[in-house]
Amino acid sequence: MKKGILAKIVIILIFAYLFFPIVATLLFSVATKWTTTILPEGYTFSYYQQLFTSPEFIQSLLRTVYVSVITIALSVVLIVPSIYLTIVYYPRLERFFEILSVLPFAMPGVILAIGMIQMYSSGPIRITGTVWILIGSYFVLILPYMYQATKSGFRAINVKALTEAALMLGCGKLETFIKVILPNIIRGVISAALISVSVLFGEFVLANLLVGDNYETLQIYLYKLQKVDGHLANALVASYFLVILLLSLLLIWLAYRNNASAVRDRGKTS
Amino acid sequence: MSYVQINNVEKSYQGRQVLKKIHLSVAKGEFVTLLGPSGCGKTTLLRIIAGLERSDAGSVRVNGKEILAGQHKKGQNIGMVFQSYALFPNMTAYENIAFGLKLKKISPENIRQQVGEIMDVLSISGKENNYPHQMSGGQQQRVALARALVTKPDLLLLDEPLSAVDAKVRESARSLIRDIQRRMGITTIFVTHDQLEAMVMSDRIVVMNSGEIMQHGTPEQIYHKPENRFVANFIGTYNFVPGDWVGLSAYEGEVCIRPEHIQMLKKDQLEQFGDSGSVRLQGLLAHYYILGNTVRAEVVVGDRKILVDRLNGFQGSEFETNEEVGLVIDKDACTMLAPGRGEGN
Ligand SMILES: Nc1ncnc2c1ncn2[C@@H]1O[C@H](COP(=O)(O)OP(=O)(O)OP(=O)(O)O)[C@@H](O)[C@H]1O
Ligand SMILES: [Mg+2]
């Protein structure tokens, strides 16, 4: 009995600790005036309205969406076929890809960024300060997430046997990949993409160092906004929080469905 | 005229040879089983025949056409059933079976009719809209079989398709596969490590061991006329006794006799049985146990233990353990093994 109450108190404290800043942010983003009182004196949605109608905000949002979409698309197009080909035709390369995919974890973003600035500010590929250098480094940044999440999609099916079964029925190699393999791993690819979206939407260090004012992403805009108007910045953070929350829920749902079907199929795909 | 011709096929993995100069021909409509212990190269050989694996040397021809690995399988027309079934998880039973027909650009009405027919034959009608994970192992196996059969292949390859289902389902699946194979006249190569399965189903059995063909022949030949010690040991049970025991004093090696070919008698009856064509031995009945429809006796004769099988009659046994018994062996029942190949294993 006593133990139960203690456990509850601890859990409540942890949740309070976790949610307090979020609730405060939410409240501040809708407060007219909030100085000496415990709760705001009045409420308004005007900051949100201001934010969502601000051309600067729209511009930066579009920029972030643009880099994220291009990076993720590039990543999917390169990683999905690579994993497929290693599993079916070049199993020895698998270890190499595993190592390659965790390499970005070993490199702090700052070092990566400075290295890239030097590498690409002269020579044949001069892309320092342009959006391309950002896309390139974002590609590396999301590589571990993309690789692992996509790989787990592949792990849920017996890729080699399915491929061979389709080939034996007279299916071409590309056709097999599109008709048989892709529909079975697509959920893994989608969750990989969603994880990457949430990583890229929150990214500040690389964007600030590599492109800064040249290409003002959402996070850079937020950074500037903070110094100008706290209420607006909070409205942005709150919106950001909601988007990430929805993404996470979507991910959890996807992961749950993946697991459920994997459990059902276990033992039949030995 | 052989329909499938395998010539001198060899294969090594990382410097270790897993197939050594395999020669084999299969006639049209024949049911041939590759039988051998785990790791002897059965799957590897089957995959080379299918064109899924490249051989290091030699060639495979099916119906006159050479099979090449990596080549588009459209012109090849070989059906294959995998041990794991490899059903497409995103497709229903119907879509799985229709997959090969759709690739052949057959009209939808024809596809519907042919799929319906084969599902009927395999008694899986009604499962059309089930996804693989919604079916039992036995049903999945039938869908896999249907998917391979519906395209009317020139050659059907089966890699232990029955190993993942329970004994009852396996038994009915054996005769089902055999029936359909006969009715459709499909040349079939079947892989198993279950000798009973091989005996029941095959026209011809190919016994393999560590990448070599040890013997091939009808189930009768394999069972009654093993050509070497490996086959004798691998198929069924044999007693090995010195040649002079059965009056072959000139013969250096050992002879082998099936347990069911030895007669066991009460010791005092021994004198009345047997003729010049048989030998009589005496021993001690050490152990006696039921195998099912037969009963096995372990009789110690000299320094050897001889196994004797008798039918498990309804009246039970008239023998007691530790009793002195007599054995009668017909000389014609003894098989002499050529020394050399496969010895010692
Ligand atoms: N891709 C591979 N790489 C390396 N060695 C392999 C490969 N495939 C098979 N082998 C080896 O070749 C040998 C024969 O394998 P194979 O799968 O043909 O045996 P099998 O007779 O089918 O055995 P089982 O009854 O267990 O299925 C084995 O020793 C195996 O370890
Ligand atoms: Mg095998």
Side-chain angles (χ1 to χ4, degrees), chain B residues 13-14 16 18 37-44 160 193:
Chain B
Y13 283 118
Q14 285 115 46
R16 204 170 56 84
V18 294
S38 189
C40 72
K42 306 179 295 286
T43 299
T44 308
E160 309 207 25
H193 55 239

Short mmCIF file of all heavy atoms in Angstrom, two decimals, chain B residues 13-14 16 18 37-44 160 193, ligand 1:
data_model
loop_
_atom_site.label_atom_id
_atom_site.label_comp_id
_atom_site.label_asym_id
_atom_site.label_seq_id
_atom_site.Cartn_x
_atom_site.Cartn_y
_atom_site.Cartn_z
N TYR B 13 32.35 -23.84 -52.20
CA TYR B 13 32.13 -22.61 -51.44
C TYR B 13 33.39 -22.34 -50.63
O TYR B 13 33.80 -23.19 -49.85
CB TYR B 13 30.95 -22.76 -50.47
CG TYR B 13 29.61 -22.66 -51.13
CD1 TYR B 13 28.72 -23.72 -51.10
CD2 TYR B 13 29.21 -21.48 -51.75
CE1 TYR B 13 27.47 -23.62 -51.68
CE2 TYR B 13 27.96 -21.38 -52.34
CZ TYR B 13 27.10 -22.46 -52.30
OH TYR B 13 25.87 -22.35 -52.88
N GLN B 14 33.97 -21.18 -50.82
CA GLN B 14 35.18 -20.80 -50.08
C GLN B 14 36.21 -21.92 -50.08
O GLN B 14 36.75 -22.30 -49.05
CB GLN B 14 34.83 -20.41 -48.64
CG GLN B 14 34.17 -19.05 -48.51
CD GLN B 14 32.74 -19.18 -47.99
OE1 GLN B 14 32.51 -19.91 -47.04
NE2 GLN B 14 31.80 -18.47 -48.59
N ARG B 16 35.88 -25.02 -50.37
CA ARG B 16 35.45 -26.35 -49.93
C ARG B 16 34.48 -26.89 -50.96
O ARG B 16 33.48 -26.25 -51.29
CB ARG B 16 34.77 -26.25 -48.58
CG ARG B 16 34.81 -27.54 -47.78
CD ARG B 16 34.34 -27.25 -46.37
NE ARG B 16 33.01 -26.65 -46.37
CZ ARG B 16 31.89 -27.36 -46.43
NH1 ARG B 16 31.92 -28.66 -46.47
NH2 ARG B 16 30.72 -26.75 -46.42
N VAL B 18 31.53 -28.76 -52.39
CA VAL B 18 30.27 -29.30 -51.88
C VAL B 18 29.56 -30.18 -52.91
O VAL B 18 28.66 -30.93 -52.56
CB VAL B 18 29.32 -28.19 -51.37
CG1 VAL B 18 29.92 -27.50 -50.17
CG2 VAL B 18 29.00 -27.19 -52.45
N PRO B 37 22.16 -37.10 -46.06
CA PRO B 37 22.20 -36.42 -44.76
C PRO B 37 22.34 -34.91 -44.93
O PRO B 37 22.69 -34.43 -46.00
CB PRO B 37 23.44 -37.01 -44.08
CG PRO B 37 24.29 -37.52 -45.19
CD PRO B 37 23.36 -37.93 -46.28
N SER B 38 22.07 -34.19 -43.87
CA SER B 38 22.14 -32.74 -43.89
C SER B 38 23.53 -32.27 -44.32
O SER B 38 24.53 -32.82 -43.88
CB SER B 38 21.82 -32.22 -42.49
OG SER B 38 21.68 -30.84 -42.53
N GLY B 39 23.56 -31.30 -45.21
CA GLY B 39 24.84 -30.74 -45.63
C GLY B 39 25.52 -31.49 -46.75
O GLY B 39 26.64 -31.17 -47.13
N CYS B 40 24.86 -32.47 -47.35
CA CYS B 40 25.51 -33.26 -48.39
C CYS B 40 25.44 -32.59 -49.76
O CYS B 40 26.03 -33.07 -50.72
CB CYS B 40 24.91 -34.67 -48.46
SG CYS B 40 23.26 -34.70 -49.15
N GLY B 41 24.71 -31.48 -49.87
CA GLY B 41 24.70 -30.73 -51.12
C GLY B 41 23.42 -30.85 -51.93
O GLY B 41 23.38 -30.43 -53.09
N LYS B 42 22.36 -31.37 -51.34
CA LYS B 42 21.10 -31.55 -52.07
C LYS B 42 20.53 -30.22 -52.53
O LYS B 42 20.20 -30.04 -53.71
CB LYS B 42 20.06 -32.25 -51.17
CG LYS B 42 20.51 -33.54 -50.55
CD LYS B 42 19.44 -34.15 -49.67
CE LYS B 42 19.09 -33.33 -48.45
NZ LYS B 42 20.09 -33.35 -47.37
N THR B 43 20.41 -29.27 -51.58
CA THR B 43 19.85 -27.97 -51.93
C THR B 43 20.71 -27.27 -52.96
O THR B 43 20.21 -26.68 -53.92
CB THR B 43 19.71 -27.11 -50.66
OG1 THR B 43 18.82 -27.76 -49.76
CG2 THR B 43 19.17 -25.74 -50.99
N THR B 44 22.02 -27.36 -52.79
CA THR B 44 22.93 -26.71 -53.73
C THR B 44 22.70 -27.25 -55.14
O THR B 44 22.60 -26.49 -56.10
CB THR B 44 24.38 -26.94 -53.29
OG1 THR B 44 24.51 -26.55 -51.92
CG2 THR B 44 25.35 -26.16 -54.14
N GLU B 160 12.50 -30.08 -49.80
CA GLU B 160 11.93 -30.46 -48.51
C GLU B 160 10.64 -29.71 -48.19
O GLU B 160 10.53 -29.06 -47.17
CB GLU B 160 12.94 -30.19 -47.38
CG GLU B 160 14.30 -30.80 -47.69
CD GLU B 160 15.09 -31.13 -46.45
OE1 GLU B 160 14.47 -31.36 -45.39
OE2 GLU B 160 16.32 -31.19 -46.54
N HIS B 193 15.60 -35.49 -46.61
CA HIS B 193 16.57 -36.33 -45.90
C HIS B 193 15.83 -37.44 -45.14
O HIS B 193 16.39 -38.13 -44.32
CB HIS B 193 17.47 -35.51 -44.97
CG HIS B 193 16.73 -34.66 -43.99
ND1 HIS B 193 16.88 -33.30 -43.94
CD2 HIS B 193 15.84 -34.96 -43.06
CE1 HIS B 193 16.09 -32.82 -43.01
NE2 HIS B 193 15.45 -33.80 -42.45
N1 LIG C 1 25.99 -19.78 -49.73
C1 LIG C 1 26.83 -20.65 -49.15
N2 LIG C 1 28.04 -20.25 -48.73
C2 LIG C 1 28.91 -21.13 -48.16
N3 LIG C 1 28.66 -22.42 -47.96
C3 LIG C 1 27.46 -22.90 -48.35
C4 LIG C 1 26.49 -22.04 -48.96
N4 LIG C 1 25.40 -22.77 -49.24
C5 LIG C 1 25.67 -24.02 -48.83
N5 LIG C 1 26.91 -24.11 -48.31
C6 LIG C 1 27.55 -25.34 -47.79
O1 LIG C 1 27.43 -26.33 -48.75
C7 LIG C 1 27.14 -27.58 -48.16
C8 LIG C 1 25.91 -28.18 -48.79
O2 LIG C 1 24.80 -27.38 -48.48
P1 LIG C 1 23.32 -27.73 -48.90
O3 LIG C 1 22.45 -26.63 -48.43
O4 LIG C 1 23.31 -28.05 -50.35
O5 LIG C 1 23.06 -29.04 -48.06
P2 LIG C 1 21.73 -29.91 -47.99
O6 LIG C 1 22.10 -31.26 -48.45
O7 LIG C 1 20.62 -29.22 -48.67
O8 LIG C 1 21.49 -29.97 -46.42
P3 LIG C 1 20.10 -29.88 -45.61
O9 LIG C 1 19.50 -31.25 -45.65
O10 LIG C 1 20.56 -29.52 -44.25
O11 LIG C 1 19.25 -28.84 -46.25
C9 LIG C 1 26.99 -27.34 -46.68
O12 LIG C 1 28.13 -27.80 -46.03
C10 LIG C 1 26.85 -25.86 -46.55
O13 LIG C 1 27.48 -25.42 -45.39
#
